[in-house]
């Protein structure tokens, strides 16, 4: 293996040349105008690390070859750049040196580039992004072209499509009479690329054709660095371009339609985080709110929060759950943590390809760049614009979609699913096996969930229906009742309310399946707190119902067993509602019993309620139910894992206490890798689920098994549920698009043989 490769040699191996180097070779090969050069490989880097020696002879040969192809002598006409190039993307983290014209300078430059792999910034970046340290970098030696030569020279960066919206046109900027670093640093606000069209139309047209060639070759949107020397265009770098969530979806869908990629590829390319960002907030109404400044709409979405001027301050406030907008003249790689902590970023300098713009777009955070009318005083921690002085801690709202800054905190709303996203998700639906349902308690929530494409309701909690004031008083009457007659009267009132609710939900569902969970909460949840209970009878019941540990107390089916009239009333309301809307609207309703530990509970409930025509299933959320899944399967029509309570049970953690008191420390110390309430714990909770599924299916081959609970909308958990043969996940409305996408990606990975089925579910 050689230590040095020329751009014209037949090697495009990224592990040897790094991304930048390998892509320069590729661009040379497909006929683009790239200044000639050669690459001191990553192997040579490793050798240098071991021995401190560079392959001097090979480098000198390379230089002689450069002299012969350019027809210039090194140090006289010929200058070179020495550029870092690693096989992992570490934008702007390592060094690049321009305008080198002596051998002595160049050898020290190569050492500096190799050394920059271990500079502080790069080390920190690798730590944040889990990149191993032993990969290393190559050094690219390339003939210089001079962007600062004359008025027909300049340098710039373009994306082959709009990185914010995904539209198909050149998107970027350039600076005339300048060399590369002036642009990336954000030190000079560049001109939009459209101005190049009028300044040098032939160059602009060539750039468009280069964009087309690159996209056809790489089959993805590209981020291209170029320099113009006296009217001649040179391409200096290309890589897949970072983009907003909205752009990611649009580009994937458009490229599939253009025939550049397949539909499967389009579905695979969009990341779950892209969708999260896409369903980002926007400003609800701007009436009566004053615009303080406008800037470039660098990353879409809106955010409101307190103004801070220092990244560490952003971090500090975010840790206290405060919303913050980081305001800076410009940002640099050192500010990453502060940017990550902030809800949005506003800069007064820099353009659409500045550091702040690129980083926020990738993170899915709103950003406004180059808002030159704001004058920032970092010392005084304030900015001034249009006659207003905004101090640290005051609230502003930024709309990164339009580039507008408002005074004060404006109401925000979620955006709707765009046409492109609808289309992508409809392709995803064709690939996935896992069903996607919604956790929804009311007809309104169902309507919203339907707009995100759910296939029914996997969990309808009935306690929410008791929380409206007039209903709350009815359930309180039931709790406080002294006679059976009083009890029955209160329950009848509740039954009528429930009936109404179910009628509305069934109509909205229009035949889609719904699983209704019977009352789960302990009764004292419906009473005021002891201190608020002034009426003697209320106080008496509060004391009587008080529990030491309500989480594992008198709730769920335990309450159903001691107070069967409640479940009886609920089932009656469901059946009545069903008969009221049928046959006009088909009703596909099932009843789910919470907190079950034994089949005897299920049998008892079945005897108590008259549930003719309703399926009855078990919410699998106790450890014992999982261990008895085989037996339960005989009597249950379906299972649905309630992974929140199941996680609490498996860990013996109460979620609230854990998250408030010690989980953060556990995560920081690495005692736990993830918050098990967010990402399913495969090794503990997951094993229990796998065992339960195995026994259930052994006894009832096609028993329907779902997951409700927040894990049902979390990407890694969804993949896992797919693998262990769950039939569907049920999650909150806003997570449905992510669930549809990830379920499809999991199925496509199976097809590609990337994952093996976790267990034999037959
Ligand atoms: P980074 O990885 O930080 O982007 P690069 O190696 O791409 O660093 O160099 C930064 C900029 O320097 C390039 O975008 C380009 O404008 C300029 N540059 C690098 N090599 C040359 C060259 N041979 N001729 C002209 N400009 C160059
Ligand atoms: Mg570059
Ligand atoms: Mg529960």
């Amino acid at each position: 293996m050689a230590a040095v490769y020329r751009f014209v040699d037949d090697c495009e191996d990224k592990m040897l040349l790094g991304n930048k180097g390998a892509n320069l070779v590729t661009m040379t090969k497909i006929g683009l105008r790239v200044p000639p050069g050669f690459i001191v490989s990553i192997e040579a880097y490793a050798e240098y690390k071991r021995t401190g020696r560079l392959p001097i002879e090979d480098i000198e040969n390379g230089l002689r070859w450069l002299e012969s192809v350019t027809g210039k002598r090194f140090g006289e006409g010929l200058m070179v750049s020495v550029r870092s190039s690693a096989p992992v993307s570490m934008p702007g983290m390592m060094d690049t040196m321009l305008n080198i014209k002596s051998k002595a300078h160049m050898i020290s430059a190569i050492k500096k580039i190799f050394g920059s792999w271990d500079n502080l910034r790069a080390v920190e970046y690798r730590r944040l992004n889990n990149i191993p340290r032993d990969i290393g970098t190559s050094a690219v030696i390339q003939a210089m072209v001079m962007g600062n030569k004359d008025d027909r020279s300049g340098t710039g960066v373009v994306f082959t499509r709009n990185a914010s919206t995904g539209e198909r046109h050149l998107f970027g900027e350039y600076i005339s009479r300048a060399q590369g670093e002036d642009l990336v640093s954000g030190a000079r606000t560049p001109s939009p690329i459209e101005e190049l069209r009028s300044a040098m139309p032939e160059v602009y047209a060539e750039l468009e054709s280069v964009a087309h060639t690159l996209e056809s070759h790489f089959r993805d949107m590209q981020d291209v660095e170029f320099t113009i020397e006296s009217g001649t265009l040179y391409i200096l770098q290309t890589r897949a371009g970072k983009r907003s969530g909205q752009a990611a979806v649009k580009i994937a869908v458009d490229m599939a339609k253009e025939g550049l990629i397949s539909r499967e590829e389009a579905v695979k390319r969009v990341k779950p985080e892209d969708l999260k960002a896409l369903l980002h907030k926007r400003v609800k109404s701007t009436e009566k709110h004053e615009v303080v400044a406008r800037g470039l709409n660098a990353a879409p979405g809106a955010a409101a929060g307190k103004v801070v001027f220092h990244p560490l301050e952003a971090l500090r406030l975010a840790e206290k759950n405060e919303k913050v907008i980081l305001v800076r003249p410009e940002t640099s790689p050192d500010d990453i943590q502060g940017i990550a902590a902030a809800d949005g970023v506003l800069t007064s300098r820099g353009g659409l390809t500045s550091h702040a713009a690129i980083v926020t777009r990738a993170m899915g955070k709103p950003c406004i760049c180059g808002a030159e009318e704001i004058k920032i005083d970092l010392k005084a921690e304030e900015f001034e614009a249009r006659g207003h002085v905004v101090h640290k801690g005051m609230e502003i709202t930024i709309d990164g979609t339009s580039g507008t800054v408002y005074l004060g905190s404006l109401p925000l709303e979620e955006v709707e699913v765009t046409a492109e996203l609808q289309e992508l998700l409809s392709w995803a639906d064709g690939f996935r096996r896992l069903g996607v349902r919604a956790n929804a308690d009311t007809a309104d929530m169902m309507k919203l969930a339907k707009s995100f494409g759910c296939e029914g309701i996997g969990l309808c909690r009935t306690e929410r229906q008791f929380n409206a004031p007039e209903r709350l008083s009815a359930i309180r009457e039931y709790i406080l009742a002294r006679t059976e007659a009083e009890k029955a009267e209160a329950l009848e009132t509740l039954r009528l309310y429930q009936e109404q609710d179910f009628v509305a939900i069934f109509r909205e569902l229009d035949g889609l399946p719904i699983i209704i969970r019977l009352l789960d909460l302990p009764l004292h949840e419906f009473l005021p707190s002891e201190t608020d209970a002034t009426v003697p009878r209320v106080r008496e019941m509060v004391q009587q119902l008080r529990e030491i540990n309500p989480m594992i107390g008198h709730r769920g089916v335990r309450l159903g067993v001691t107070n069967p009239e409640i479940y009886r009333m609920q089932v009656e309301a469901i059946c009545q509602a069903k008969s009221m809307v049928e046959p006009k609207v088909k009703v596909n309703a099932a009843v789910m019993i919470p907190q079950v530990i034994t089949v005897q509970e299920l049998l008892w409930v079945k005897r108590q309620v008259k549930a003719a025509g309703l399926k009855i299933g078990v919410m699998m959320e106790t450890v014992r139910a999982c261990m008895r899944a085989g037996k339960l399967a005989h009597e249950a029509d379906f299972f649905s894992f309630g992974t929140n309570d199941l996680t609490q049970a498996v860990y013996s953690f109460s979620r609230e206490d854990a998250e408030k008191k010690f989980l953060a420390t556990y995560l920081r110390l690495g005692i736990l890798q993830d918050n098990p309430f967010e990402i399913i714990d495969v090794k503990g909770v997951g094993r229990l689920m796998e065992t339960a599924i195995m026994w259930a299916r052994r006894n009832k081959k096609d028993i329907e098994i779902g997951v409700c609970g927040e894990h049902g909308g979390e990407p890694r958990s969804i993949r896992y549920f797919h693998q262990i043969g769950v039939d569907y996940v049920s999650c909150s409305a806003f997570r449905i698009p992510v669930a549809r996408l990830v379920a499809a990606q999991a199925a496509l990975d199976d097809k590609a043989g990337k994952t093996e089925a976790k267990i034999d579910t037959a």
Side-chain angles (χ1 to χ4, degrees):
M1 217 161 286
V4 165
Y5 295 83
R6 299 173 305 174
F7 292 178
V8 292
D9 289 337
D10 195 21
C11 171
E12 294 172 73
D13 183 351
K14 294 194 162 150
M15 295 315 289
L16 268 179
L17 310 181
N19 292 338
K20 193 188 292 171
N23 282 350
L24 284 166
V25 172
T26 306
M27 289 196 292
T28 306
K29 196 161 121 185
I30 62 178
L32 297 182
R33 197 182 302 110
V34 174
F38 58 90
I39 301 158
V40 186
S41 74
I42 294 175
E43 288 233 325
Y45 164 85
E47 180 68 16
Y48 169 73
K49 280 270 140 165
R50 266 198 307 275
T51 64
R53 276 197 301 273
L54 289 172
I56 303 289
E57 207 172 305
D58 295 328
I59 293 171
E60 293 201 336
N61 283 339
L63 214 46
R64 265 196 293 282
W65 170 78
L66 259 193
E67 290 181 325
S68 76
V69 288
T70 57
K72 295 174 190 164
R73 282 186 58 84
F74 187 48
E76 289 165 25
L78 174 66
M79 291 196 280
V80 297
S81 60
V82 181
R83 316 172 64 185
S84 54
S85 167
V88 284
S89 166
M90 295 175 43
M93 295 295 143
M94 290 181 297
D95 293 340
T96 274
M97 300 177 74
L98 304 183
N99 307 328
I100 291 171
K101 49 190 169 202
S102 78
K103 276 191 192 169
H105 192 182
M106 184 174 107
I107 291 154
S108 73
I110 295 176
K111 287 184 175 164
K112 183 155 188 288
I113 297 309
F114 281 172
S116 73
W117 173 258
D118 284 318
N119 72 30
L120 278 179
R121 264 198 326 219
V123 170
E124 177 65 9
Y125 183 87
R126 286 200 294 270
R127 197 182 59 77
L128 281 174
N129 292 282
N130 283 321
I131 299 171
R133 90 157 271 204
D134 58 3
I135 298 176
T137 179
S138 74
V140 176
I141 321 279
Q142 186 174 26
M144 283 299 298
V145 285
M146 308 311 282
N148 51 3
K149 193 165 180 185
D150 53 31
D151 280 345
R152 291 181 52 74
S153 302
T155 187
V157 178
V158 280
F159 289 79
T160 53
R161 302 190 187 214
N162 188 313
S164 183
T165 65
E167 282 161 70
R168 193 176 177 186
H169 58 78
L170 291 185
F171 171 87
E173 47 217 357
Y174 81 110
I175 312 186
S176 63
R177 266 204 124 110
Q179 280 191 323
E181 311 274 61
D182 302 337
L183 188 80
V184 192
S185 70
R188 248 173 87 185
T189 299
S191 322
I193 197 71
E194 289 73 32
E195 286 180 20
L196 184 66
R197 193 205 291 259
S198 35
M200 288 185 257
E202 0 40 80
V203 175
Y204 186 86
E206 190 180 344
L207 201 52
E208 279 185 320
S209 115
V210 166
H212 187 73
T213 308
L214 286 173
E215 279 200 350
S216 312
H217 184 85
F218 290 102
R219 297 164 52 251
D220 198 2
M221 185 261 251
Q222 298 290 299
D223 165 351
V224 185
E225 295 177 7
F226 65 90
T227 285
I228 306 162
E229 181 184 289
S230 303
T232 304
L233 173 68
Y234 295 89
I235 308 301
L236 289 168
Q237 187 175 344
T238 193
R239 60 185 157 204
K242 294 233 186 329
R243 63 206 79 179
S244 72
Q246 187 185 335
V249 170
K250 180 157 171 59
I251 290 170
V253 170
D254 285 354
M255 286 196 162
K257 288 187 181 165
E258 288 159 23
L260 275 179
I261 58 175
S262 66
R263 287 181 175 189
E264 295 189 9
E265 182 65 34
V267 167
K268 279 198 220 166
R269 266 191 196 179
V270 175
K271 296 192 284 295
E273 307 86 75
D274 291 334
L275 295 204
K276 241 198 262 164
L278 181 53
L279 299 168
H280 233 73
K281 304 199 166 68
R282 67 178 171 202
V283 176
K284 204 165 182 174
S285 142
T286 58
E287 267 174 62
K288 287 188 258 156
H289 281 274
E290 194 157 354
V291 174
V292 271
R294 284 184 202 282
L296 299 171
N297 48 346
K306 289 186 175 161
V307 167
V308 298
F309 294 89
H310 296 289
L312 286 180
E313 184 79 6
L315 210 58
R316 204 177 56 78
L317 287 184
E319 272 170 8
K320 293 197 211 152
N321 278 328
E322 300 231 36
K323 303 227 169 288
V324 292
I325 308 292
L326 180 64
V327 181
R328 301 282 299 167
E330 65 212 2
T331 65
S332 77
D334 298 327
D335 305 335
I336 283 284
Q337 285 178 302
I339 297 173
D343 292 90
V345 176
L346 167 63
T347 71
S348 57
R349 286 206 295 261
L352 292 170
T353 56
S354 66
H355 179 263
I358 294 198
V359 170
T360 49
R361 228 177 268 139
M363 288 182 181
K365 276 181 209 293
C367 175
I368 299 176
C369 279
E372 291 181 348
E373 53 182 326
I374 70 169
K375 303 285 175 263
I376 301 177
D377 184 339
L378 284 179
K379 272 234 184 75
E381 298 194 274
E382 60 184 35
F383 73 77
E384 191 262 299
R386 301 196 185 178
H388 297 279
V389 177
V390 178
H391 306 283
K392 168 176 125 174
M394 281 170 68
E395 287 187 326
I396 60 167
T397 303
I398 62 167
D399 179 352
T401 313
S402 67
T404 322
V405 187
Y406 301 92
L407 275 188
S409 172
L410 270 64
L412 306 178
E413 66 183 358
E414 311 282 340
V415 296
E416 292 152 35
V417 178
T418 61
E420 276 88 15
L421 182 54
Q422 297 271 25
E423 186 147 23
L424 185 84
L425 292 177
S426 75
W427 296 345
D429 291 345
F431 300 135
R432 69 184 157 88
R433 176 190 66 73
L434 204 58
V436 178
R437 299 188 192 174
N439 295 348
D441 306 333
T442 63
D444 278 350
M445 283 167 78
M446 175 55 205
K447 200 168 177 174
L448 181 71
K450 233 164 134 182
S451 76
F452 288 117
C454 77
E455 296 158 346
I457 297 182
L459 175 64
C460 173
R461 304 177 188 87
T462 47
E463 25 280 298
R464 294 252 172 114
Q465 299 175 353
F466 298 146
N467 274 332
E470 71 280 7
R471 294 151 185 232
L472 196 58
S473 66
I475 184 129
R476 281 184 184 173
E477 268 164 38
Y478 163 77
I479 297 169
L480 301 174
R482 290 175 197 270
T483 66
E484 289 305 314
E486 279 173 18
K487 263 192 196 175
E489 196 181 326
L491 281 179
E492 179 60 11
T493 312
L494 282 171
R495 189 182 68 75
L496 291 173
Y497 282 132
Q498 296 230 297
E499 202 175 275
Q500 277 172 28
D501 292 335
F502 289 131
V503 165
I505 295 178
F506 291 162
R507 291 216 168 105
E508 192 60 54
L509 275 164
D510 199 16
L512 293 175
I514 176 172
I515 292 178
I516 300 163
R517 184 180 67 186
L518 300 185
L519 192 70
D520 182 31
L521 281 185
L523 289 179
H524 54 77
E525 292 272 341
F526 299 103
L527 293 179
S529 70
E530 201 162 341
T531 42
D532 290 346
T534 44
V535 181
R537 173 65 178 159
V538 176
R539 178 184 290 268
E540 181 194 328
M541 285 315 288
V542 168
Q543 279 163 0
Q544 192 179 319
L545 292 176
R546 186 171 47 202
E547 289 181 292
I548 301 203
N549 206 333
M551 203 65 88
I552 46 179
H554 191 185
R555 61 176 290 203
V557 70
R558 274 98 75 176
L559 190 63
V561 168
T562 57
N563 302 41
E565 64 277 9
I566 300 179
Y567 281 7
R568 229 179 273 141
M569 172 278 286
Q570 291 196 292
V571 171
E572 219 174 287
I574 295 166
C575 291
Q576 193 64 31
K578 182 166 145 89
S579 73
M580 283 161 79
V581 298
E582 275 184 329
K584 222 173 136 204
V585 174
K586 212 177 131 348
V587 174
N588 182 355
V591 164
M592 180 155 72
I593 317 294
Q595 304 290 341
V596 168
I597 54 158
T598 167
V599 73
Q600 300 305 332
E601 290 168 321
L602 189 58
L603 291 172
W604 202 89
V605 170
K606 277 191 177 180
R607 281 199 300 274
Q608 292 300 314
V609 302
K610 286 192 271 334
L614 286 185
K615 287 185 181 158
I616 295 196
V618 171
M619 183 141 178
M620 301 292 280
E621 54 186 340
T622 67
V623 175
R624 195 172 192 286
C626 291
M627 300 320 285
R628 301 296 292 148
K631 183 81 176 171
L632 281 167
H634 282 301
E635 292 300 328
D637 294 314
F638 61 89
F639 284 168
S640 178
F641 286 97
T643 50
N644 299 346
D645 276 11
L646 190 57
T647 301
Q648 299 202 85
V650 169
Y651 277 76
S652 295
F653 283 1
S654 94
R655 175 170 188 172
E656 234 172 283
D657 293 326
E659 289 186 341
K660 257 197 217 142
K661 307 222 160 95
F662 57 83
L663 208 50
T665 311
Y666 266 53
L667 294 173
R668 187 166 45 77
L669 296 178
I671 292 173
L672 285 178
Q673 294 303 311
D674 301 297
N675 177 348
F677 295 106
E678 277 169 14
I679 297 173
I680 194 79
D681 160 39
V682 168
K683 291 179 186 154
V685 180
R687 275 201 194 162
L688 202 55
M689 292 175 71
E690 289 178 40
T691 309
I693 293 173
M694 181 185 76
W695 283 106
R697 294 242 161 95
R698 227 175 246 190
N699 288 353
K700 192 180 268 178
K701 198 161 164 278
D702 44 14
I703 185 170
E704 183 190 75
I705 299 178
V707 170
C708 55
E710 276 156 64
H711 299 101
E714 191 283 318
R716 261 163 65 192
S717 310
I718 295 170
R719 285 180 169 271
Y720 176 70
F721 298 144
H722 167 88
Q723 284 171 32
I724 64 174
V726 163
D727 292 309
Y728 66 86
V729 292
S730 187
C731 56
S732 67
F734 287 110
R735 301 179 101 176
I736 287 171
V738 169
R740 290 164 74 192
L741 178 77
V742 176
Q745 291 176 338
L748 289 173
D749 278 356
D750 277 358
K751 213 172 128 189
K754 270 201 210 152
T755 49
E756 282 164 41
K758 279 291 289 189
I759 54 164
D760 183 8
T761 53

